[in-house]
């Protein structure tokens, strides 16, 4: 008799718990399935648009590494933005031609990598113009974008040029740590939609890192675009030409 009473009491308690769970919708299985489906959500599903990110390469071209990068980007269907120094363009004509042919955006990074804020106005202006001319001679187009070395520029100079200044939001310091895995991990961890990633194609490790970054972020749903396709970004200081 005593055993039967215990069984009945236990059944009543279980029934009460089930009724409470049903009323408050707190069935553990249900909660778990919501959690799982959230975790499986692709980043592109969250806003209904494809998240965009821009890869930028400074200080090149490199006769040693840039062609490998161009080949890797083409294979992956990626367009990037290259900020070239004028002095390197003179012996990299073939590479610059290929950049243009592959649909990449070519920008200006001054002729000898000067700090525009610390250089005299006339000299700074000449550095920008000479680089624009060197690029135009090969591509037939004057660059629209300027990446100032060290992120420094002179406001007066900017006012007088019709170029847009392009800064960056993800800097893995690839010049300091020459390790492709370390650089790729840093970028993958901190990249968000709308970011502009800074790398240097004069290092073999940065080229390897760039391709790892593309593979990983493409698998997360990111689309790689050139800087002119990064909209509403405070990283691009646009000149309004009237
Ligand atoms: Zn630079």
């Amino acid at each position: 008799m005593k055993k039967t009473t215990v069984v009945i009491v236990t059944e009543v308690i279980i029934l009460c718990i089930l009724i409470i769970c049903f009323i408050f919708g707190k069935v553990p299985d249900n909660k778990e399935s919501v959690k799982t489906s959230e975790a499986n959500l692709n980043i592109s599903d969250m806003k209904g648009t494809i998240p965009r990110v821009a890869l930028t390469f400074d200080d090149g071209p490199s006769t040693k590494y840039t062609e490998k990068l161009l080949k890797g980007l083409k294979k992956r269907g990626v367009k990037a933005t290259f900020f070239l120094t004028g002095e390197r363009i003179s012996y990299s004509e073939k590479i610059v031609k290929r950049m243009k042919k592959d649909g990449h955006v070519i920008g200006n990074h001054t002729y000898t990598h000067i700090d525009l804020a610390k250089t005299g106005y006339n000299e700074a202006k000449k550095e920008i113009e000479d680089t624009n001319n060197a690029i135009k001679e090969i591509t037939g187009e004057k660059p629209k974008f300027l990446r100032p070395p060290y992120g420094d520029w002179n406001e007066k100079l900017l006012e007088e040029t019709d170029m847009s200044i392009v800064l960056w939001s993800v800097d893995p310091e690839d010049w300091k740590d020459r390790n492709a895995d370390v650089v790729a991990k840093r970028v993958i961890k901190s990249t968000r939609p709308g970011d502009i990633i800074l790398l240097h194609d004069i290092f073999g490790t940065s080229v390897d890192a760039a391709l790892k970054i593309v593979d990983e972020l493409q698998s997360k749903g990111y689309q790689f675009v050139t800087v002119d396709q990064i909209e509403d970004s405070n990283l691009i200081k646009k000149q309004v030409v009237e």
Side-chain angles (χ1 to χ4, degrees):
M1 281 298 283
K2 208 180 168 190
K3 216 173 177 182
T4 314
T5 310
V6 169
V7 170
I8 289 169
V9 168
T10 309
E11 280 176 359
V12 168
I13 289 171
I14 289 170
L15 191 65
C16 285
I17 290 171
L18 283 174
I19 289 168
I20 289 166
C21 283
F22 181 77
I23 291 170
F24 292 97
K26 287 181 179 173
V27 182
D29 276 347
N30 184 29
K31 198 175 178 182
E32 198 50 47
S33 68
V34 169
K35 225 177 177 178
T36 311
S37 69
E38 272 174 5
N40 288 339
L41 256 187
N42 190 308
I43 192 163
S44 63
D45 298 332
M46 290 159 81
K47 284 183 185 169
T49 52
I50 297 169
R52 290 177 162 190
V53 66
L55 268 181
T56 64
F57 298 93
D58 286 11
D59 297 7
S62 156
T63 49
K64 245 182 167 177
Y65 306 115
T66 306
E67 281 181 304
K68 182 185 177 187
L69 175 62
L70 292 174
K71 203 176 160 192
L73 293 177
K74 193 174 186 182
K75 196 178 152 197
R76 291 160 176 83
V78 168
K79 310 277 186 246
T81 306
F82 290 85
F83 292 100
L84 312 181
T85 52
E87 60 186 355
R88 281 178 173 262
I89 295 171
S90 56
Y91 51 87
S92 314
E93 193 174 334
K94 202 180 121 204
I95 301 172
V96 180
K97 265 190 182 157
R98 179 160 178 194
M99 279 176 187
K100 166 81 178 161
K101 190 172 162 257
D102 287 355
H104 301 295
V105 165
I106 300 172
N108 186 324
H109 197 47
T110 76
Y111 206 86
T112 59
H113 206 273
I114 52 157
D115 186 329
L116 291 168
K118 290 176 185 159
T119 307
Y121 177 80
N122 288 333
E123 197 188 327
K125 200 175 169 203
K126 191 176 182 316
E127 285 260 344
I128 294 172
E129 284 174 355
D130 285 353
T131 308
N132 278 347
N133 291 338
I135 294 170
K136 197 183 169 187
E137 244 173 60
I138 299 173
T139 65
E141 263 176 43
K142 190 191 150 199
K144 295 187 184 88
F145 299 100
L146 171 71
R147 155 87 37 89
Y150 319 105
D152 282 344
W153 70 91
N154 173 329
E155 278 298 336
K156 192 181 167 224
L157 198 67
L158 178 62
E159 276 170 26
E160 290 187 17
T161 171
D162 55 356
M163 301 184 83
S164 297
I165 283 194
V166 180
L167 300 174
W168 59 88
S169 50
V170 177
D171 178 7
E173 298 193 315
D174 61 330
W175 50 272
K176 206 154 95 187
D177 293 298
R178 309 283 176 85
N179 181 314
D181 285 330
V182 169
V183 170
K185 255 183 211 164
R186 275 184 199 153
V187 172
I188 291 158
K189 199 179 152 199
S190 50
T191 297
R192 300 289 175 269
D195 269 335
I196 296 179
I197 301 164
L198 168 65
L199 289 167
H200 300 82
D201 53 321
I202 52 168
F203 307 122
T205 45
S206 299
V207 167
D208 292 342
L211 301 178
K212 281 176 194 281
I213 291 161
V214 169
D215 289 341
E216 181 69 21
L217 293 183
Q218 277 186 335
S219 77
K220 287 186 177 181
Y222 277 91
Q223 183 191 9
F224 285 86
V225 295
T226 46
V227 293
D228 52 315
Q229 290 178 283
I230 294 284
E231 287 147 18
D232 301 325
S233 175
N234 57 5
L235 301 167
I236 301 174
K237 316 280 178 204
K238 275 185 186 145
Q239 268 306 100
V240 181
V241 183
E242 290 183 20

